[in-house]
Amino acid sequence: MNITSQGEELILDKERALFLPKHQLLAISDLHLGKSAHFRQAGLQVPATIAQTDLQRLSLLIKQYHPKTLLINGDMFHHGLNTDIDEFSVWRKQYQELNFLLVKGNHDRLSDANYAAMNIELHEPSFCLGPFCFIHDAPNCTEEELYPISGHIHPGVTIVGKAKQRLKFPCFYFGKDYAILPAFSLFTGLYTVYPKANERIFAVTPKSVVEV
């Protein structure tokens, strides 16, 4: 879905990604690579294919939009080094010419040397581009003249169907003061947001992005 925010065109993709055509930038949030491996290390029976699926989805987005820059808006890695992150390191080598930026989130705890080894450029607490300030948690933004785009809370919205069934979907949130991206990883929960007057919510359904 194409929308306009702060005078710029934005594309909201059903794979929970945001594309800025003017800047050739693809942005996602809350990738949480390593989360499934971390749970398996703790003895929980979590499928080993979660990270692979998320990276395959990301590959398809790169193929579709041909971005010059991929921005991860916080919580790229869920925990310390593990097999999921090793898998990412191999995957990353396919895209040597793609600029990877990470705006650090509360789960991004690897050493600077680890990020450098994976050719990831770090930004903390934010990365500003045009009228936007990408930051993991919007209330921490100090760039008052810019519009924050955040992640962190894994926003979701509940839609009531014609038969009164209640369906919950990830969503994009665009409020007066800031926007929130949906969590990219399929292995995350949802925090329900309730739109107020003049706020826009876009539900991410399996087939498309729709405004609620």
Side-chain angles (χ1 to χ4, degrees), residues 3-10 22 131-132:
I3 68 169
T4 299
S5 177
Q6 315 305 308
E8 290 206 9
E9 179 189 9
L10 305 178
K22 180 179 178 180
F132 303 111

Side-chain angles (χ1 to χ4, degrees), residues 4 13-14 19 29 42 60 104 115 124 159 180 198 209:
T4 299
D13 194 280
K14 67 180 181 63
F19 185 63
S29 187
L60 291 174
K104 292 185 74 172
Y115 294 114
E124 189 176 13
I159 298 177
I180 310 174
N198 300 319
V209 177

Side-chain angles (χ1 to χ4, degrees), residues 70-127:
L70 172 65
L71 183 143
I72 315 294
N73 201 26
D75 286 359
M76 180 175 185
F77 298 125
H78 183 75
H79 206 263
L81 295 172
N82 57 38
T83 54
D84 284 355
I85 297 176
D86 291 340
E87 189 166 340
F88 167 81
S89 297
V90 175
W91 177 89
R92 169 70 176 100
K93 293 176 182 177
Q94 302 175 63
Y95 305 102
Q96 294 294 335
E97 296 182 0
L98 182 60
N99 189 22
F100 272 62
L101 308 183
L102 170 61
V103 174
K104 292 185 74 172
N106 53 298
H107 282 284
D108 294 309
R109 302 169 186 170
L110 302 184
S111 70
D112 288 356
N114 290 142
Y115 294 114
M118 291 180 279
N119 196 17
I120 297 171
E121 180 181 319
L122 296 179
H123 292 267
E124 189 176 13
S126 63
F127 174 77

Side-chain angles (χ1 to χ4, degrees), residues 55 59 63 91 101 112 121 182 196 208:
L55 290 176
S59 288
K63 182 178 181 180
W91 177 89
L101 308 183
D112 288 356
E121 180 181 319
K196 301 175 183 178
S208 63

Side-chain angles (χ1 to χ4, degrees), residues 122-190:
L122 296 179
H123 292 267
E124 189 176 13
S126 63
F127 174 77
C128 301
L129 182 69
F132 303 111
C133 176
F134 287 92
I135 188 166
H136 188 56
D137 193 6
N140 294 331
C141 183
T142 59
E143 304 288 344
E144 296 182 0
E145 73 280 10
L146 301 179
Y147 184 70
I149 298 178
S150 64
H152 187 50
I153 70 168
H154 310 171
V157 63
T158 299
I159 298 177
V160 180
K162 293 181 179 179
K164 296 186 178 180
Q165 73 273 32
R166 300 174 67 85
L167 301 174
K168 196 169 185 178
F169 299 102
C171 69
F172 294 86
Y173 164 89
F174 284 82
K176 174 179 176 293
D177 298 319
Y178 58 86
I180 310 174
L181 301 180
F184 184 79
S185 176
L186 300 178
F187 189 40
T188 56
L190 295 175

Side-chain angles (χ1 to χ4, degrees), residues 39-60:
F39 276 45
R40 289 194 300 276
Q41 289 174 349
L44 299 178
Q45 298 301 310
V46 178
T49 57
I50 292 173
Q52 295 174 4
T53 300
D54 286 340
L55 290 176
Q56 287 170 359
R57 292 168 52 226
L58 192 50
S59 288
L60 291 174

